[in-house]
Amino acid sequence: METEYVLHDFEPIYDERSQILMLGTMPSPKSREVGFYYGHPRNRFWKVVSDVCREPLPETKEEKITFALRNRIAVWDVLAGCEIRGAEDSSIRNPVPNDMSRILKAADIRAIFTTGTKAYQLYKKYCYPVTGMEAIGLPSTSPANCRMSYEELYEAYLVIQKYI
């Protein structure tokens, strides 16, 4: 698979009531195809977060937005653009970070979480020096993280309950 330059073209999900910010790295090819965050059918993000919030799994884009806002969860990605091969975070080159102040100025964000190691590393390098807010790294919900069981993911994501 070829490396391509990808621009992030989804709007972040947030409002003035958002209290936590969940950051992925960059939308995968499947997410870009469906036009929304964590769009791969085997990505476990929406399932684990809805289970942690003790709510039914949101299915449609509209249900996911409503769910996130109702639970005071902002969703975005660390990067606005980068060179990447498919969905391989390890192939990322020339990253351009998103401007987190867009959300941080509008909402009282109490905690920032990254969904995966690469998102955490990129946030720490490019965003933390600007925001001054530490991020809490959570495991990736991607199907590529098949070594982690759903139960282990759920246990790791329970930490968000303290902030919402």
Side-chain angles (χ1 to χ4, degrees), residues 63-77:
E63 288 174 357
K64 291 171 183 174
I65 292 169
T66 300
F67 160 80
L69 296 177
R70 181 175 55 248
N71 286 282
R72 299 186 168 119
I73 300 169
V75 181
W76 207 13
D77 287 304

Side-chain angles (χ1 to χ4, degrees), residues 12-20 65-66 68-75 102-109:
I13 301 167
Y14 72 100
D15 66 16
E16 68 282 349
R17 296 173 52 245
S18 299
Q19 294 181 344
I20 67 169
I65 292 169
T66 300
L69 296 177
R70 181 175 55 248
N71 286 282
R72 299 186 168 119
I73 300 169
V75 181
R102 179 173 174 186
I103 295 175
L104 297 177
K105 286 179 180 175
D108 182 24
I109 298 296

Side-chain angles (χ1 to χ4, degrees), residues 8 23-28 38 76-82 84 89 92 96 98 114-120 122:
H8 192 302
L23 295 170
T25 306
M26 188 76 186
S28 69
Y38 306 99
W76 207 13
D77 287 304
V78 173
L79 299 181
C82 67
I84 189 169
D89 281 357
I92 290 174
V96 177
N98 271 314
T114 57
T115 60
T117 303
K118 190 64 169 190
Y120 179 79
L122 291 164

Side-chain angles (χ1 to χ4, degrees), residues 24-31 37-48 86-90 114-119 138-150 153 157:
T25 306
M26 188 76 186
S28 69
K30 189 64 178 174
S31 292
Y37 297 95
Y38 306 99
H40 193 288
R42 290 192 333 231
N43 190 300
R44 300 174 285 179
F45 177 83
W46 293 107
K47 173 148 180 51
V48 75
E88 294 176 43
D89 281 357
S90 62
T114 57
T115 60
T117 303
K118 190 64 169 190
L138 294 173
S140 173
T141 57
S142 163
N145 184 14
C146 54
R147 71 186 177 284
M148 184 164 260
S149 72
Y150 179 79
L153 271 180
Y157 276 70

